[in-house]
Amino acid sequence: MTTLGTSGLVLNEKLLFEHSDPGRKGYSLPKLDVPEATLPAELCRDEIAGFPELSEVDVVRHFTRLSTWNYGVDSGFYPLGSCTMKYNPKVNEIAARLPGLADLHPATPPHLAQGILELMDNLQSSLAEVSGFARVTLQPAAGAHGELAGMLVIRAWHEARNSTRSKVLIPDTAHGTNPATATLAGYDVVPIASEGILTLEEVEAHMDDDVAALMVTNPNTLGLFETNIESICKLVHNRGGLVYCDGANLNALMGIARPGDMGIDVMHFNLHKTFSTPHGGGGPGAGPVGVTKELIPYLPGPGVERVGDEYRFEIDNADSIGRLLAFHGNVGIMVRAYSYIRSMGGAGLKHASEMAVLNANYIRARLEGVYDLPYKNRSLHEVIFSDKDLEGGCHTLDVAKRLIDYGYHPPTIYFPLVVKGAIMIEPTETESPDVLDEFCDAMIAIAGEARDNPDLLLNAPMRSKVRRLDETTAARKPRLKWEGNE
Amino acid sequence: MRYIPHTAADVSEMLERVGVKSLEDLFVEVPGSVRLKRPLDLPEPLSETELLRELKKLAVKNATPSTHMSFLGGGAYHHFSPAAVDLLVSRSEFYTAYTPYQPEISQGTLQAIFEFQTMICQLTGMDVANASMYDGASACAEAVLMAVRLTRRKRVLLSRALNPRYRATVATYCLYLGLELVDVAVADDGRTDLKDLAAKLDDTTAAVVAGYPNYFGVVEDLAVLSERTHEAGARMVVAVAEPVALGLLKPPGELGADIVAGDGQSFGLPLAFGGPYVGFFTVRQKDLRAMPGRLVGETTDLDGQRGFVLTLSTREQHIRREKATSNICSNQGLCALVTTIFMSLLGKQGLREMAGQNLAKAAYARQQLAGVKGFSLVFDGPSFNEFVVRSVEPVADVLSRLEKSGILGGIALGDDYPELADCFLVCVTEQNQRSEIDALVAALQGGAA
Amino acid sequence: MEFPEELKYTEEHEWVMVEEDLAVIGITDFAQDALGDVVFVELPEVGTSVEAGKAFGVVESVKAVSDVYAPLTGTIEEINDDLIDAPEIINTSPYEDGWMVKIRMAEAKDADELMDAEAYQALIAEES
């Protein structure tokens, strides 16, 4: 069988500093057209020790070679659960680079920035329509940043009512950012155990007058819809609390159901997940936040608003929690998300969610019986398996590493923590059935290898540029920068 | 639909394999009471041609350095970016990849971040840098939180000469953490007032925060600020909104800084109306484990080959959860890569030369402006590429008539500094040609309409 | 997996060796195995007061972090400095060279409340 993954010539490449040669230049600046100036000597530095000196050719080869050691969505299937690694449309890249959008200074007076403000206002309304919320802020720079904004908004609402509630309920399946964010908002975290989805009873058992909020993810990190969400929200509201929703998994619901219609009060979006903006090797993303009408006054700001035919920044937001960034947010990412939404339209977004869910269920149908499936509820856009039935002394990690040899980026592993040896697969809608079939064939083959020839998994990966890395020494004796010639 | 490959035949076959009759059946666990019973109310989809046409219509409504001469700074700077930067970062193996959790197939991203961490340390004179934060303001806020964690104290002193948006962001992050934020006054030379600092420093102070250069473009006397701060047992947090200045200025690490946070936007990132930019965050070796953000470390693989991995992850949210040093997950990875490529192209000499041009052009502008009747320079401390101008004519009128001459002359300061309501902030970079500076001066000289 | 008979144990997987009113504390073989390669240990300063049931330190591996709880109330008398540069000792010798702290007990008889090897082994069997 010819696998997708194969070996090929890849070039080695040293560190920039190891290439450096005194006197080499990679830049050109015009000659200075005014008299030179100096600062007092005691304010001035010596040369920047260790900073590279390279030609443009050196630098271009360096980063070109580095890029060949990577794997992106454009390389192949990237089924990371909860990350929604869908295809990143190329026209969005052109859109973001348009003169007039890319080179606009954030302090440009609003009357000279009407075009970008209109785009931002339109994006706000589009996201509000998709999610069912009354207003959306675009300021937060990432999902976790949006979570922070959302939890501070919740706290501001409580403080305005002289409430001193100090606790936040968080299911044990939650993404780690949820409890970390609750702590940043000054709350104590109360974990709730869940067997799959949350039940009204479990929430009721923990919900009291000291609970400010419940943080949920819907669909949750097991890929299951929180079927009891409406009654749970009602319960929390009746006891004076609010409900925050981590919107990372919105790709399952567009045009199907809206979190704002479920009783949820605040939700963050991940533009770099649901709305196709690229993941960039670790960002930049964007984490807009949607809220109900009652919470609008507390939103971070100032936000964009339309008054008559004019777009401007809000003037009167005295109750706002303030700003979370120096400027207006990751506008370049907003342009890409806006382009995506305009390219898809409402029916297109719904089709995306339907195909995302179909793809996940197709993988589930093909791999069920080969890998252990801990939850029997209908999966939405992602499916979780475990390594319980894996033979040969192999574990989830070994399956992941062997998948690399087969030419795939591994799924999310060991998350959520409630499933031992979790393998979370989220295909997204941009993958065709033949890609899914090849992936499933690989997963089935690997399960067979675990039984018949486990060394193939235990020694994997063998085709990548580097083999398994010593993470223990990296943590025991951290080397976090180049230290010069040793 | 060009991004979703399924044909009707594909869908039928797949539904059969899944064992359901229709797509509807896949959503059986979503209660009818929350189902959306109407189509989403969004405009009809656009083809690529139509989309770009629409966006170009929006784009022309905006004033940029291509349509106007720009002297805007205040935390975002118009600088040269070499052609190779954007082309390299457009390689899809870089930008369509995710966080390097599987290091064997992410060595490109990981080595580049390691190089970023190294150069940021070299630039700032500090020991450890993380893989990036959202921007300079939020990095500054996280620096304050780190200082609070380390000292277990609750009072934070922030220079009024620190960028007002950085101060506002710190305030938001500290909203419900029981901390006391106190402003320190600005002296006549534009630097932080040492007398006021002495009066406010005490043994409950966790940190002192100052900009370098500060919001007015003035270069603070960091050595003295650090000394006083340390005497009180507090941490010196330095915010660098304009890192081009570090091409010339003594690095904060050599002047007693404990944490240096800043924004790398100047290093090749488009202005883009405010983002994405990139925060950088550096600390001393001894405080490493209290630091937020991702870290890339060097190690070896099974064959002894050098490689890089994310490390010291136990500080972070996905492991430490509610006790994490921060909640940060996705940061500004691709933006950090942009700055890494920029820094390698400019290099040791280029950064110094660029900084020198900024200094010279701003000095020329200051000198010319000082000679215009009705305008005066406000602060006489040493400055880099920004300065404050006082105007007899109302600032709003001045900026308005400059606009009519095709010039974005500066940022009015009145909203953030009531005592400077008659002033505006002017930024001059290597991108401003002499003719533009002369045009600015001539336009100011033109007098009220 | 080892469960030395002469030691006492806690539910949080610490072991205790009592020497009159001094208690030597570490984490068990089960704990070090579950954690994986230990990369860092955070210990309190000598002289710190500790309270039974409250965390006094942290053990980190590459992928996990665990609080270490004081089995007894008292004062930290001594800490194992070797663990700073060589945290891996906890993996290779959890019961001997991998000891973490010595606590001067407030009440020597508190140690009697702790589990013996048999009870701890039963606890492990139950948890699995």
Side-chain angles (χ1 to χ4, degrees), chain A residues 103-176:
Chain A
D103 49 358
L104 185 54
H105 191 286
T108 305
H111 64 272
L112 294 176
Q114 288 294 294
I116 192 67
L117 290 173
E118 184 178 335
L119 188 150
M120 289 169 72
D121 186 66
N122 286 345
L123 179 61
Q124 279 172 187
S125 335
S126 303
L127 292 175
E129 168 62 7
V130 170
S131 60
F133 287 105
R135 179 79 63 83
V136 171
T137 172
L138 299 174
Q139 200 183 88
H145 212 207
E147 282 178 37
L148 180 61
M151 292 308 290
L152 290 176
V153 163
I154 286 179
R155 182 124 187 193
W157 180 86
H158 278 289
E159 301 262 328
R161 281 150 191 74
N162 295 316
S163 145
T164 53
R165 295 180 183 225
S166 64
K167 305 206 291 255
V168 169
L169 306 181
I170 304 184
D172 52 11
T173 49
H175 191 267

Side-chain angles (χ1 to χ4, degrees), chain B residues 379-434:
Chain B
F379 298 121
D380 59 7
S383 74
F384 181 59
N385 66 1
E386 290 182 276
F387 53 93
V388 177
V389 177
R390 174 163 277 129
S391 160
V392 169
E393 190 191 341
V395 171
D397 296 343
V398 175
L399 293 180
S400 176
R401 68 180 172 80
L402 285 176
E403 259 173 47
K404 293 190 179 67
S405 305
I407 303 173
L408 298 172
I411 299 175
L413 289 170
D415 285 339
D416 296 315
Y417 299 93
E419 73 275 25
L420 298 175
D422 56 351
C423 304
F424 58 102
L425 181 68
V426 177
C427 174
V428 186
T429 72
E430 82 291 342
Q431 292 293 86
N432 295 106
Q433 294 173 77
R434 183 184 177 129

Side-chain angles (χ1 to χ4, degrees), chain A residues 156-466:
Chain A
W157 180 86
H158 278 289
E159 301 262 328
R161 281 150 191 74
N162 295 316
S163 145
T164 53
R165 295 180 183 225
S166 64
K167 305 206 291 255
V168 169
L169 306 181
I170 304 184
D172 52 11
T173 49
H175 191 267
T177 49
N178 291 183
T181 301
T183 305
L184 276 173
Y187 285 120
D188 294 322
V189 172
V190 177
I192 313 183
S194 58
E195 274 299 317
I197 60 171
L198 284 173
T199 62
L200 189 61
E201 291 72 42
E202 269 153 39
V203 179
E204 198 156 20
H206 291 94
M207 187 64 207
D208 60 28
D209 294 337
D210 195 26
V211 173
L214 165 69
M215 291 180 87
V216 299
T217 306
N218 194 14
N220 66 22
T221 59
L222 300 166
L224 311 172
F225 189 82
E226 290 286 359
T227 319
N228 303 312
I229 188 68
E230 274 184 297
S231 53
I232 288 173
C233 287
K234 281 202 184 80
L235 171 77
V236 174
H237 290 153
N238 284 345
R239 303 275 173 89
L242 294 174
V243 180
Y244 180 89
C245 181
D246 180 325
N249 290 329
L250 191 62
N251 206 44
L253 297 178
M254 294 191 287
I256 310 286
R258 306 192 310 172
D261 298 335
M262 298 171 196
I264 289 165
D265 299 292
V266 192
M267 185 190 86
H268 81 265
F269 302 78
N270 294 71
L271 296 187
H272 48 296
K273 295 185 182 188
T274 320
F275 297 95
S276 88
T277 74
H279 282 76
V289 173
V291 297
T292 57
K293 188 149 170 274
E294 214 183 321
L295 294 173
I296 293 176
Y298 310 105
L299 280 173
V304 179
E305 66 178 3
R306 180 180 174 158
V307 178
D309 277 331
E310 201 200 312
Y311 296 92
R312 62 172 196 202
F313 285 106
E314 291 165 337
I315 299 166
D316 177 26
N317 59 343
D319 291 328
S320 160
I321 57 171
R323 54 168 62 250
L324 286 160
L325 279 181
F327 297 110
H328 318 308
N330 284 347
V331 177
I333 302 303
M334 295 174 208
V335 173
R336 291 171 171 86
Y338 180 69
S339 299
Y340 176 72
I341 293 173
R342 292 307 308 273
S343 300
M344 298 289 281
L349 291 177
K350 182 171 182 188
H351 184 54
S353 287
E354 288 172 336
M355 293 302 103
V357 172
L358 178 61
N359 276 358
N361 278 279
Y362 182 79
I363 290 183
R364 176 177 163 152
R366 284 215 53 199
L367 295 181
E368 208 171 340
V370 181
Y371 289 88
D372 169 60
L373 187 73
Y375 295 97
K376 310 299 181 218
N377 309 44
R378 168 68 60 204
S379 304
L380 280 172
H381 66 311
E382 59 194 6
V383 55
I384 293 209
F385 293 98
S386 86
D387 60 359
K388 196 155 138 266
D389 300 334
L390 206 57
E391 300 175 70
C394 298
H395 299 290
T396 290
L397 183 70
D398 307 307
V399 173
K401 299 307 182 189
R402 185 63 179 146
L403 267 172
I404 291 175
D405 283 336
Y406 271 80
Y408 297 98
H409 190 286
T412 297
I413 53 175
Y414 301 112
F415 178 79
L417 302 167
V418 296
V419 176
K420 197 157 173 292
I423 301 172
M424 183 168 24
I425 301 172
E426 181 187 352
T428 84
E429 73 282 5
T430 57
E431 302 298 333
S432 64
D434 37 284
V435 170
L436 301 185
D437 274 328
E438 281 169 15
F439 171 73
C440 291
D441 290 343
M443 285 289 283
I444 293 168
I446 290 171
E449 284 174 352
R451 183 188 58 236
D452 303 328
N453 196 351
D455 277 346
L456 287 173
L457 280 75
L458 299 170
N459 294 331
M462 289 176 284
R463 292 194 173 120
S464 45
K465 174 162 192 298
V466 296

Side-chain angles (χ1 to χ4, degrees), chain B residues 289 313-315 319-320 323, chain C residues 40 60-61 63-65 67:
Chain B
R289 287 194 137 77
S313 316
T314 48
R315 297 161 304 116
I319 295 179
R320 211 60 172 250
K323 296 198 189 137
Chain C
F40 183 72
E60 284 182 28
S61 66
K63 298 282 192 233
V65 66
D67 283 324

